[in-house]
Amino acid sequence: MDSTTVKPERRPFSIKLWPPSENTRQMLVTRITDNLTTKSIFTQKYGSLSKEEAEENAKRIEDVAFSAASQHYEKEPDGDGGSAVQLYAKECSKLILEVLKKGPSKLEEKQAVSSQTGIVPQNTVFDISKASEGDRNSYTKICFSNRSFGLEAAHVADTILASIKNQLVEVDLSDFIAGRPEEEALEVMTIFSTALEGCALKSLNLSNNALGEKGVRAFQALLKSQSCLEELYLMNDGISEEAAEAVCELIPSTENLKVLKFHNNMTGDKGGLAISEVLRHSPLLEDFQCSSTRVGSEGGIALSEALKTCTHLKKLDIRDNLFGVEAGVALSKALSNYAGLTEVYLSYLNLEDDGARAIVNSLKESAPSLEVLDMAGNDITAEAAPSLAACIATKQHLIKLNLGENELKDEGAIQISKALEEGHIELKEVDMNTNSLGRVGARSLAKVVVQKPVFELLNINGNYISDEGIDEVKEIFKKFPTMLGPLDENDPEGGVDDEESGEGEDNDNELESKLENLEVDKE
């Protein structure tokens, strides 16, 4: 007999990572609940949820992420499921942040309704997975956000939506066709649009759908039937100039509009002209966002002219566009009309000194309750600092001031510090990063803001503060170290050589003298 041992043939060994077990899914729901309720940098910023509300959101988040990952896995059944797991985790993280940004539900509103009617509203938000024919009459809002509808699912929704549309006041269809081919996505949009035609909405959210002009026109039936809209969201939708013109053409009336958001689109100057026509017919507008939309000088001037109509404006966000000085000056004329303005975001508009001066001179005489002033990244130098300081000095309700990524230098920082000295007891955040600040400018800011009763964060990173200056600033914040932002990008040797520029201890003393004797015009 042959004594040679025959080794059994090795079979390939593989592990499938998808789908996860029920225990794993439940553990993730528990972890998401903890993330929504426990203290973190996100809950500190946006607020945490109650345990009951967190558990409800956690189950929904896990269910949506699981569905998206399962659909992904079906497309690659021969894989080990690793990419599905990654998508599962990514979707959960994204949805957790979205829930935190929305904040806790407004319990006081529910309590007010309860006290007036004796009934606490239940199930007012429609969930297609739980709806039954018997309880549909209670729904006033629908939210299909973050669910990718194909044709089959759209036809199911069609019948249900048609039966409840007359009672709806709020519709959220943001990101509801993700990953669908264009032809199918357009057909799905048309089905939803036809089903909802004629409902009298107050709020419509079509964000994150890569609409373009075709998508906007796919919603023609719904948009044309709206005459009572108070809120319209078209963010991250590929809104080109043609799409913007379609929006202007299709919505019959915006006279009740209070919120209009166009963030992150391809609107451009011609699209800006179309949006300006919408603004001209929106006299009640309170919150306007047209940020990151590639609008240049021509469109910026048109928007600025149209904004004169919107005298009830409370929040204006047009950052990250290509306005330039001329559009900035035009905008300053509109800003003089806003007595109720509380937040203004004008960063990265290429305003330069002349545009910035015109804007702050106008704001100085208006917006007495301004809480947020953001003018970062506008090439503002110390020459415009007196105007900035005079405006800031009058804004006693200021909570956040962002002048980062400019060229204000120590001289500008000293004047801003002096403007903040008196009052400003609500101030929480000052951002002067990347402003070519040195030791004196950093120290003057630190000395002022550390005394504010509710102050939270000073950002002076990315400057040219000497090692001695860093030590002095840290000493000022010794009792409140969390109020001082990171300094890892500070370059103590990045400024002009002291001997060549005449800077150093003598110049420090001169700047200190300026700080002591500076007068800020508050009139």
Side-chain angles (χ1 to χ4, degrees):
M1 180 183 288
D2 188 353
S3 61
T4 304
T5 301
V6 178
K7 296 182 179 179
E9 181 182 353
R10 291 190 176 184
R11 295 180 179 179
F13 179 73
S14 64
I15 297 176
K16 289 286 186 182
L17 300 176
W18 192 263
S21 67
E22 285 300 318
N23 283 340
T24 300
R25 293 184 65 185
Q26 187 54 49
M27 285 174 61
L28 183 58
V29 170
T30 302
R31 188 177 301 173
I32 293 171
T33 302
D34 290 341
N35 285 335
L36 294 173
T37 56
T38 57
K39 188 175 181 180
S40 69
I41 58 172
F42 296 110
T43 55
Q44 283 181 322
K45 183 173 183 180
Y46 301 112
S48 58
L49 276 60
S50 67
K51 186 175 181 181
E52 182 180 1
E53 190 176 0
E55 286 176 349
E56 182 180 338
N57 277 282
K59 290 174 184 176
R60 180 185 63 80
I61 288 170
E62 191 282 330
D63 181 58
V64 171
F66 178 80
S67 176
S70 295
Q71 289 180 23
H72 175 81
Y73 181 67
E74 287 173 6
K75 296 177 183 177
E76 47 176 36
D78 297 329
D80 64 359
S83 60
V85 172
Q86 290 179 349
L87 180 62
Y88 187 44
K90 183 179 178 182
E91 284 294 304
C92 283
S93 298
K94 181 183 79 171
L95 294 171
I96 288 170
L97 187 56
E98 287 180 0
V99 167
L100 287 173
K101 284 183 176 179
K102 288 180 181 178
S105 63
K106 297 181 179 178
L107 182 59
E108 62 273 14
E109 288 184 6
K110 294 182 180 179
Q111 290 172 337
V113 173
S114 176
S115 65
Q116 292 171 15
T117 65
I119 300 172
V120 177
Q122 298 289 336
N123 298 327
T124 57
V125 180
F126 176 69
D127 184 337
I128 195 169
S129 66
K130 298 177 182 177
S132 63
E133 194 163 339
D135 64 2
R136 290 178 191 169
N137 61 357
S138 63
Y139 295 117
T140 59
K141 306 175 184 179
I142 63 169
C143 179
F144 291 159
S145 181
N146 300 312
R147 293 179 182 272
S148 182
F149 279 80
L151 284 174
E152 185 176 349
H155 284 300
V156 172
D158 180 12
T159 305
I160 299 172
L161 292 176
S163 70
I164 65 172
K165 69 178 181 180
N166 290 334
Q167 66 207 43
L168 293 176
V169 295
E170 184 175 322
V171 169
D172 185 348
L173 298 178
S174 59
D175 194 20
F176 83 123
I177 50 164
R180 300 291 174 180
E182 180 181 303
E183 185 176 349
E184 181 183 18
L186 290 171
E187 191 169 347
V188 168
M189 291 182 208
T190 303
I191 290 170
F192 273 79
S193 174
T194 304
L196 292 167
E197 182 180 5
C199 56
L201 298 180
K202 290 186 177 180
S203 177
L204 177 60
N205 190 344
L206 300 177
S207 299
N208 301 310
N209 283 312
L211 295 176
E213 184 186 6
K214 291 181 182 178
V216 171
R217 295 196 179 279
F219 278 108
Q220 175 172 325
L222 174 59
L223 292 173
K224 274 195 167 184
S225 66
Q226 300 309 304
S227 58
C228 303
L229 271 181
E230 294 181 7
E231 299 180 8
L232 177 60
Y233 301 86
L234 293 166
M235 298 185 286
N236 194 29
D237 265 334
I239 300 293
S240 60
E241 59 185 66
E242 295 83 5
E245 289 169 356
V247 170
C248 183
E249 169 196 332
L250 294 176
I251 298 179
S253 173
T254 57
E255 62 182 15
N256 296 310
L257 204 62
K258 294 181 179 179
V259 178
L260 178 60
K261 301 213 171 209
F262 270 94
H263 170 68
N264 195 28
N265 284 300
M266 303 178 294
T267 313
D269 273 336
K270 290 185 178 178
L273 294 174
I275 295 171
S276 69
E277 285 304 307
V278 176
L279 294 179
R280 289 181 195 279
H281 298 93
S282 307
L284 301 181
L285 197 65
E286 296 178 359
D287 184 349
F288 177 56
Q289 182 175 12
C290 191
S291 51
S292 304
T293 52
R294 307 182 187 180
V295 174
S297 181
E298 182 185 5
I301 291 170
L303 287 174
S304 300
E305 290 290 333
L307 280 167
K308 291 178 182 178
T309 308
C310 309
T311 56
H312 292 83
L313 210 63
K314 295 179 180 178
K315 181 177 178 181
L316 175 63
D317 185 350
I318 50 176
R319 62 189 134 179
D320 191 22
N321 282 300
L322 304 170
F323 275 37
V325 174
E326 191 176 353
V329 172
L331 178 62
S332 71
K333 297 173 183 177
L335 291 172
S336 63
N337 297 323
Y338 304 147
L341 192 67
T342 58
E343 298 179 38
V344 59
Y345 300 89
L346 306 176
S347 52
Y348 308 104
L349 292 177
N350 298 331
L351 296 175
E352 301 179 13
D353 283 347
D354 288 344
R357 260 194 296 257
I359 284 170
V360 294
N361 286 341
S362 182
L363 283 174
K364 180 186 172 186
E365 306 300 329
S366 61
S369 300
L370 193 68
E371 297 175 358
V372 177
L373 177 59
D374 181 352
M375 297 183 70
N378 276 304
D379 296 321
I380 305 171
T381 73
E383 290 187 13
S387 297
L388 269 172
C391 174
I392 291 166
T394 66
K395 304 307 170 192
Q396 288 297 312
H397 297 283
L398 207 59
I399 293 174
K400 179 178 179 179
L401 174 64
N402 184 3
L403 297 172
E405 297 185 51
N406 284 301
E407 284 293 327
L408 289 165
K409 300 186 176 179
D410 279 348
E411 184 180 348
I414 287 171
Q415 296 185 67
I416 301 302
S417 301
K418 192 70 176 178
L420 291 170
E421 265 189 344
E422 294 182 17
H424 293 91
I425 60 173
E426 299 170 46
L427 190 66
K428 290 185 178 181
E429 185 175 337
V430 172
D431 192 337
M432 288 278 285
N433 83 86
T434 321
N435 261 285
S436 300
L437 301 188
R439 174 184 182 184
V440 174
R443 188 170 57 198
S444 64
L445 283 167
K447 284 180 177 179
V448 170
V449 300
V450 77
Q451 300 178 50
K452 303 303 175 186
V454 294
F455 195 76
E456 295 178 357
L457 182 64
L458 173 65
N459 182 8
I460 49 173
N461 208 2
N463 285 301
Y464 303 143
I465 309 165
S466 65
D467 291 333
E468 293 83 358
I470 294 292
D471 291 340
E472 288 173 351
V473 169
K474 287 182 176 179
E475 179 64 24
I476 292 169
F477 284 98
K478 181 172 62 175
K479 293 182 180 179
F480 313 100
T482 59
M483 288 185 187
L484 181 61
L487 295 163
D488 54 308
E489 296 180 8
N490 180 67
D491 183 1
E493 299 178 356
V496 181
D497 184 81
D498 287 350
E499 290 183 6
E500 292 181 5
S501 65
E503 293 185 0
E505 194 63 38
D506 290 341
N507 198 42
D508 282 357
N509 291 335
E510 182 184 344
L511 286 168
E512 289 282 16
S513 178
K514 284 184 179 181
L515 178 59
E516 292 297 325
N517 300 313
L518 184 67
E519 292 292 335
V520 176
D521 180 15
K522 299 180 184 179
E523 297 301 323

